[in-house]
Amino acid sequence: MTHRKLSVLMIGLLVTSLVTGSVTADPPRPGTEDNGLTENESATLWSRDADSYISQAEYRQQYGENRSAVHQVANGTDVTFKRPPATAATWTRNDFEDLDAGGADTSVHPPHADLEDGVFIEDAHATVFAVQPSTRGHLESGENPLYIAPNGTMRGFVDYRVRVPNGSTSGNTTIEWSLTEHEIEEVRLKKDGETIATQDGSHTPALNYQIEDDWSANLTLVAEISVRLKKMTRVGDSDQTDITYRTASHTVSDALNVEIYDLSATRYDAEYPNGDAGVAMFQSRPWQGYTLTESENTRVRGVWRFYTARNTNWDTLVRSNRTNSATVESDAIPVYVHAYPSRIGPRAEPVRDGPEIIDTWGTDRSSPVGTIGENINIDIVNQSYTTTYGVAVRAESIDRDTLQVAGIVRSVNASIVAPDAGSERQLRRSDLAVAVLQQNESQATLRIELRDNQTGAPIVLSDPNRRYPISGNTRDGYITVGDQRVETNASGVAIVTIDEPGIYTARYHPGSWLGHNPAYVGETATARWHPLGTIDGWFAFIFEVGWQLIPFVVMFYAGKQLLRMLGPEEIFQRNP
C-alpha cells in the first residue's frame, strides 16, 4: 500500500506555547494509491473535490502519464450510480491501515475530535472513523440520517499523550518522575448504553457488530486508557531512594446517531386479462429497487441515486505534544456512500421492452439540496418530490419466487412479506359504450356508460369512500372525452356536452389496481357527431347557406335587369 507523504505547515514556533498549523488537503490523485481499487474505481470516489478540469495534454505534461477515460470524466464532474457501490467501503477499509498513533509524548487526532485531559493523560480522544456498510441519506433539508447495515464494522481512532511531571528539588529532597507503562486497556462499542462488542486495546480498533430488531440507535465508541508512572524520591546525598508508583486511567468516547437499516417489504400481486403480471412493493424507508427475474436483467428502481464522497473532517490531523502542535495531511480518509433523490426519477430496465411502471407513491418532501454541501455536482431534485416507498409495475412475466428488493445500503436486501394465498388481484375487462343522447345544430350530448365485462354491474368512479389500501389516499379512475374529464355516477353513467363536430373517443383510465377491488384494465369507445345528422341541422344548414347567397342573388338579378333594359348592343357601344 502506498502511503501519502505527510506535509506539515508550521505557523510560528514558540516553546511552551501552542502552535496552530494549517494545510490545504486534496484527495489523492487516482491511480497513485490502489487501496484495493483500480484507477477507474478510485476516480469515482471524490465527489467533494473541486472539479477543476484539465485536458489530457495538460495532465500528461504535469504528471508524465496518461489517465483513463473515467478518470478524465471524473476530473470535470461527479460520477453517480444506480446502486450503492462497494468502492467506498473498500477504500475506507484499506486506507484505515495507514492511520498511525503518535507515541507516548504525542497525541494525533482529527481537528473535530473531543479532547479530554486526566491526571497524567492529556489530549486523549476516541473518535469514530467510519461505520460500514452504510449510506448517508439526503431526504430533505435538516434530515440526512446515516443508515447502517444490521451487521457491520465500526472503525475508530484512539490516541493520547502522557504528561510526565517535571522533576523537582526542594531543600535536600529531589523528586524524579518516569513513565513505566501506558496502554489502551480495552475498546468497547455500545448501543444505547449496552455493550455489544469489545476488543483488546488498540489505537485503531475495528469492532464488528450485529444489531437486530432496532429502528434507530446511539452507537458509542469507548476506550479505557491507563498509565503507570514511577516516582523516585531521594533525600540529601543518601543512596537510599524511595520509589513509589502512581497509576491513572481515563475513559474517552465518541457517539454517533444512526438508523438501523433492516428492510422488510410488503408484496402485492395482480394478473391482467391478457396474461401480464403485476407486482407492487412497499417499504416505509428509502430503498433502491427490485428485480423481477432470476437473471436480474429486468428490474425497476425508485427515485434514489448514489454518489461517494470523503468525510472532510479527516482531511487533516493535528499532532500535539507538550510544547506545540502541528497540522498535517491525513494518511487515512474515510469515504461514504450518499443517497439522494434524482431528477431522473423512477426507471424500469430494459428501457424499451422492460416492465412498465404503473404507479409510485410515498411521502412528499422538500428538496434536500441544502444538505449536499459544496463541490457536489449531481442531478439532485431542486424542488419538492415524492419518495418512492411504493412502486407497482406491469410486465409480461415475473418470477415471484426470485424477487429481490435492494436497499440503499450496500448488501442489504429486504425480507419480503408475501401476500396471503388467494389474494392476487385478478384484473377484469370493462365495457365502455358512448352514444349521442341529444343533438341540435349547435351542440350534442353524449351518454357514456361503463360496466363490468364479467358481471355487467356498473363501474362507479365518483365514489369518495374508496380508499387506497396502502397509502390511504383516494384513488379513483376517470374517463376522458376530448379535453374533458368525467366520472361515472352510481349507475355507471356520465353525461358530456360537446359543441364541435367530429369523432370523439371516450377513454377509460382505471387507475392503479392497488386502489380498486375489483380492478379493471382500460377501454375505449367512439361516437361521431355532426349538425347535418339531424333534420333541424339540415334546415339550419340550408338557411345559413341561403343567407350567405343573398348578396350574390341580388347582384345577379340586378345585372340581369340592367342587361334587359339597355340591351347588349348599347352596352358594348358605351364600353368600346
Side-chain angles (χ1 to χ4, degrees):
M1 182 181 300
T2 303
H3 292 261
R4 283 187 293 279
K5 182 179 180 181
L6 294 177
S7 60
V8 183
L9 177 62
M10 304 293 292
I11 302 179
L13 181 59
L14 296 173
V15 179
T16 71
S17 66
L18 181 64
V19 178
T20 302
S22 64
V23 300
T24 300
D26 292 317
R29 184 166 57 89
T32 58
E33 294 189 39
D34 53 49
N35 275 335
L37 302 178
T38 65
E39 177 188 355
N40 284 343
E41 290 173 328
S42 61
T44 66
L45 289 176
W46 314 115
S47 290
R48 198 164 273 123
D49 65 339
D51 294 322
S52 302
Y53 179 79
I54 61 174
S55 67
Q56 286 286 61
E58 292 173 312
Y59 185 89
R60 186 165 49 251
Q61 181 179 6
Q62 185 171 349
Y63 298 106
E65 61 184 10
N66 293 320
R67 60 184 171 181
S68 67
V70 174
H71 184 178
Q72 182 180 2
V73 171
N75 178 221
T77 187
D78 295 326
V79 180
T80 62
F81 305 87
K82 294 187 291 186
R83 292 180 284 277
T87 50
T90 301
W91 172 276
T92 302
R93 181 179 64 252
N94 289 281
D95 215 36
F96 180 67
E97 297 177 6
D98 291 343
L99 198 56
D100 294 321
D105 60 351
T106 302
S107 171
V108 178
H109 56 86
H112 71 284
D114 185 12
L115 302 180
E116 298 184 14
D117 296 335
V119 178
F120 299 118
I121 300 170
E122 293 189 352
D123 293 342
H125 73 95
T127 307
V128 175
F129 183 75
V131 182
Q132 288 176 335
S134 64
T135 294
R136 176 71 68 180
H138 297 273
L139 306 185
E140 64 181 348
S141 178
E143 187 174 358
N144 55 337
L146 179 65
Y147 296 101
I148 69 170
N151 301 314
T153 303
M154 172 181 276
R155 291 179 170 83
F157 185 37
V158 182
D159 205 11
Y160 57 92
R161 62 181 178 87
V162 181
R163 184 183 64 82
V164 180
N166 295 324
S168 64
T169 300
S170 178
N172 64 345
T173 302
T174 301
I175 299 176
E176 295 180 353
W177 291 86
S178 62
L179 176 65
T180 59
E181 61 181 328
H182 64 99
E183 66 174 341
I184 301 170
E185 293 183 347
E186 185 181 64
V187 181
R188 301 185 298 276
L189 175 61
K190 292 185 174 182
K191 179 185 75 69
D192 297 330
E194 178 185 354
T195 300
I196 59 173
T198 60
Q199 181 180 316
D200 291 339
S202 170
H203 285 280
T204 52
L207 297 133
N208 296 325
Y209 66 85
Q210 182 175 356
I211 302 175
E212 297 179 353
D213 302 326
D214 253 319
W215 185 269
S216 61
N218 177 272
L219 297 183
T220 305
L221 176 67
V222 181
E224 299 285 350
I225 304 169
S226 66
V227 299
R228 189 169 186 259
L229 278 70
K230 181 171 70 174
K231 179 183 180 183
M232 299 176 57
T233 304
R234 187 170 54 250
V235 179
D237 296 330
S238 173
D239 292 335
Q240 185 176 2
T241 302
D242 181 27
I243 299 177
T244 58
Y245 292 90
R246 293 281 304 275
T247 61
S249 63
H250 195 77
T251 301
V252 289
S253 63
D254 189 21
L256 184 68
N257 291 320
V258 297
E259 300 282 331
I260 313 303
Y261 195 71
D262 191 6
L263 288 180
S264 177
T266 304
R267 193 185 89 203
Y268 301 85
D269 296 335
E271 183 177 346
Y272 288 82
N274 67 343
D276 285 358
V279 67
M281 290 288 183
F282 174 76
Q283 155 67 35
S284 59
R285 276 180 164 179
W287 50 286
Q288 187 263 325
Y290 57 92
T291 58
L292 304 178
T293 57
E294 186 175 6
S295 65
E296 299 186 4
N297 294 328
T298 304
R299 62 175 62 241
V300 61
R301 55 186 171 87
V303 72
W304 306 101
R305 283 184 71 87
F306 306 88
Y307 69 92
T308 56
R310 73 189 192 278
N311 183 348
T312 55
N313 288 336
W314 289 87
D315 280 357
T316 59
L317 296 174
V318 179
R319 299 176 63 87
S320 61
N321 56 35
R322 188 169 186 170
T323 59
N324 57 62
S325 67
T327 301
V328 301
E329 184 178 344
S330 176
D331 267 349
I333 299 176
V335 178
Y336 278 90
V337 176
H338 295 252
Y340 69 97
S342 168
R343 291 195 299 267
I344 296 175
R347 286 290 183 270
E349 298 175 1
V351 176
R352 293 187 176 180
D353 55 353
E356 176 188 358
I357 297 178
I358 299 299
D359 197 7
T360 63
W361 66 97
T363 302
D364 292 334
R365 293 182 176 269
S366 60
S367 170
V369 66
T371 69
I372 296 298
E374 298 180 351
N375 296 326
I376 303 291
N377 298 311
I378 55 176
D379 59 326
I380 188 171
V381 296
N382 51 20
Q383 56 188 1
S384 61
Y385 72 101
T386 301
T387 60
T388 46
Y389 291 158
V391 180
V393 300
R394 175 180 181 174
E396 291 184 0
S397 63
I398 295 175
D399 189 350
R400 292 187 172 92
D401 294 332
T402 61
L403 285 172
Q404 287 190 0
V405 178
I408 63 170
V409 175
R410 181 183 57 84
S411 76
V412 177
N413 292 329
S415 58
I416 300 176
V417 179
D420 296 335
S423 64
E424 181 183 64
R425 292 282 172 85
Q426 299 291 331
L427 275 76
R428 303 179 187 177
R429 296 188 183 278
S430 57
D431 281 337
L432 181 64
V434 56
V436 178
L437 183 63
Q438 295 177 357
Q439 59 181 323
N440 54 39
E441 66 277 7
S442 60
Q443 64 181 21
T445 301
L446 302 183
R447 182 182 188 274
I448 303 169
E449 186 173 11
L450 182 64
R451 292 188 173 273
D452 188 310
N453 178 270
Q454 181 176 333
T455 65
I459 299 176
V460 183
L461 301 181
S462 58
D463 183 0
N465 297 318
R466 179 174 295 162
R467 308 298 291 177
Y468 199 37
I470 295 178
S471 68
N473 297 324
T474 302
R475 299 287 294 181
D476 292 329
Y478 59 92
I479 297 172
T480 56
V481 180
D483 59 355
Q484 299 186 59
R485 174 170 165 166
V486 296
E487 297 175 338
T488 57
N489 58 21
S491 300
V493 174
I495 303 298
V496 176
T497 300
I498 56 177
D499 55 13
E500 293 290 337
I503 299 175
Y504 285 83
T505 299
R507 187 179 304 275
Y508 171 39
H509 304 266
S512 171
W513 51 265
L514 291 165
H516 303 79
N517 190 14
Y520 300 95
V521 294
E523 186 60 87
T524 61
T526 61
R528 182 194 303 267
W529 172 71
H530 195 281
L532 296 181
T534 66
I535 296 178
D536 290 341
W538 276 105
F539 278 120
F541 173 72
I542 294 172
F543 178 79
E544 183 67 23
V545 171
W547 181 261
Q548 298 293 334
L549 290 177
I550 288 176
F552 298 98
V553 172
V554 172
M555 291 178 62
F556 177 76
Y557 177 76
K560 187 175 181 181
Q561 291 299 319
L562 182 61
L563 182 62
R564 180 179 300 173
M565 291 171 58
L566 299 178
E569 296 83 358
E570 186 174 349
I571 293 176
F572 284 115
Q573 288 177 1
R574 295 188 180 186
N575 298 280

